[in-house]
Amino acid sequence: MYLINLQAEPKKGTEYYEKVAGAFVSVYIDYADAEGAIHLAKYYTEEEGWKVDNVDDEFFEIEDEKELDKENREFYDEAKEYGYTMVFNCYESDEEE
């Protein structure tokens, strides 16, 4: 299991376009290797209507679910069941309108 963190912005015509400037996205991927997990994280994010701006160079390999706190264990369990899960932490623009 891998935890890939990336930064994205909503694509035009999507639910969050013009509502938020972007999001930090945490993608839990149940996949065999890191490179494939990164590609899948980008793919799933784009499929949700977000343009990936940046993928963190650092990713996390989760070898033992017991090392996770309760909230993150729920994401882990969901990724085990469905193959992946995503957490979007949206933010607004710093610029005043």
Side-chain angles (χ1 to χ4, degrees), residues 7 10 14 16 18 29-30 34 50 59 67 74 82 89-90 93:
Q7 192 170 359
T14 61
Y16 290 101
E18 294 185 344
I29 300 277
D30 190 16
W50 295 77
F59 58 85
E67 64 191 47
E74 290 175 20
Y82 299 106
N89 293 297
C90 297
S93 174

Side-chain angles (χ1 to χ4, degrees), residues 17-29:
Y17 187 76
E18 294 185 344
K19 291 182 181 177
V20 299
F24 294 102
V25 186
S26 298
V27 187
Y28 292 77
I29 300 277

Side-chain angles (χ1 to χ4, degrees), residues 1-18:
M1 173 83 62
Y2 290 93
L3 171 57
I4 311 298
N5 293 304
L6 47 90
Q7 192 170 359
E9 61 186 70
K11 293 180 184 176
K12 189 174 185 174
T14 61
E15 175 184 357
Y16 290 101
Y17 187 76
E18 294 185 344

